[in-house]
């Protein structure tokens, strides 16, 4: 697993499907080659654009593994897919992405606490993930589905301080929040 990721263009991949609703792996292979031909710096293989909430765990794992095999080391591949509500299930989902061979597992920020739950609970659950996977570094994705959970300044500062988060896919769309985050991440290994 990566300890850093390159800057640049990282498309959130779509997942093509056949008319019968199965993943179209032939179409996916062509899409991967198109991305690579257009000189992307990495691929975000399992994400909201990939229909991760509609795919089973086996399909998410196979999708991530397929992208990793097709890319064959030409660019890094990252993937999320921790869509479950229960922590034990999320740990299995994270392990599945690790077993798929992706370079970095991306954790979805809204899966660690419900909208009405506070940052302390979010932090406790994230600490459990970090303790279960002590050798891994992660990415974070402020996915807008099923609800958008932006990291508070305190949580963001904690994430940076751990040294375990390589990047945060910011979805705040707020220049002041982005500036604040860039300042907090300055000098760390966490990218925005």
């Amino acid at each position: 697993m990566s300890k850093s990721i390159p800057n640049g263009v990282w498309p959130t991949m779509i997942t093509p499907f056949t008319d019968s609703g199965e993943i179209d792996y032939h179409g996916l292979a062509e899409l991967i080659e198109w991305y690579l031909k257009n000189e992307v710096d990495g691929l975000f293989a399992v994400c909201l654009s990939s229909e991760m909430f509609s795919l089973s765990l086996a399909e998410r794992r196979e999708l991530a593994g397929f992208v990793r095999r097709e890319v064959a080391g030409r660019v890094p591949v990252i993937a999320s897919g921790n869509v479950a509500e229960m922590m034990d299930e999320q740990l299995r989902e994270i392990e599945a992405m690790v077993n798929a061979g992706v370079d970095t597992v991306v954790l979805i920020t809204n899966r660690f606490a419900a909208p009405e739950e506070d940052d302390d609970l979010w932090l406790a659950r994230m600490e459990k993930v970090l303790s279960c996977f002590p050798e891994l570094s992660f990415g974070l994705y402020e996915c807008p589905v099923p609800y958008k959970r932006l990291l508070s300044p305190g949580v963001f500062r904690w994430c940076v301080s751990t040294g375990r988060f390589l990047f945060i896919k910011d979805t705040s769309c707020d220049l002041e929040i982005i500036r604040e985050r860039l300042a907090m991440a300055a000098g760390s290994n966490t990218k925005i």
Side-chain angles (χ1 to χ4, degrees), residues 14-190:
I14 61 169
T15 301
F17 293 94
T18 65
D19 289 340
S20 64
E22 303 294 318
I23 295 175
D24 178 357
Y25 285 105
H26 175 74
L28 183 56
E30 289 179 354
L31 179 61
I32 291 166
E33 291 307 317
W34 183 85
Y35 282 133
L36 295 173
K37 178 181 161 209
N38 286 282
E39 301 179 359
V40 299
D41 297 285
L43 292 173
F44 194 166
V46 178
C47 56
L48 185 58
S49 300
S50 306
E51 308 298 336
M52 69 181 173
F53 284 97
S54 300
L55 300 173
S56 69
L57 177 56
E59 289 170 321
R60 284 178 270 144
R61 182 182 56 241
E62 180 53 33
L63 177 63
F66 180 87
V67 173
R68 180 73 172 149
R69 290 186 302 276
E70 286 293 310
V71 165
R74 293 176 280 176
V75 297
V77 175
I78 62 177
S80 55
N82 63 306
V83 301
E85 291 183 24
M86 303 303 295
M87 182 55 62
D88 289 342
E89 292 175 52
Q90 285 192 54
L91 295 173
R92 282 192 293 282
E93 292 170 328
I94 294 165
E95 184 69 31
M97 291 300 107
V98 170
N99 291 337
V102 298
D103 292 287
T104 302
V105 176
V106 183
L107 304 175
I108 302 168
T109 60
N110 63 33
R111 305 319 299 150
F112 296 99
E116 68 279 0
E117 294 175 325
D118 65 16
D119 284 350
D120 289 338
L121 183 59
W122 191 96
L123 288 166
R125 290 176 176 159
M126 187 58 70
E127 286 175 340
K128 179 172 183 166
V129 170
L130 297 182
S131 69
C132 288
F133 301 95
E135 72 287 357
L136 299 183
S137 295
F138 295 97
L140 289 169
Y141 173 22
E142 293 175 324
C143 182
V145 173
Y147 81 97
K148 190 178 215 174
R149 187 175 189 107
L150 296 178
L151 301 178
S152 69
V155 168
F156 186 91
R157 189 173 292 106
W158 176 85
C159 290
V160 171
S161 75
T162 68
R164 300 281 303 276
F165 298 97
L166 303 177
F167 67 91
I168 296 171
K169 185 178 184 318
D170 175 282
T171 63
S172 69
C173 302
D174 184 309
L175 190 53
E176 289 308 310
I177 291 174
I178 294 169
R179 282 187 181 129
E180 181 180 58
R181 289 175 171 190
L182 287 169
M184 282 190 273
S188 74
N189 69 332
T190 303

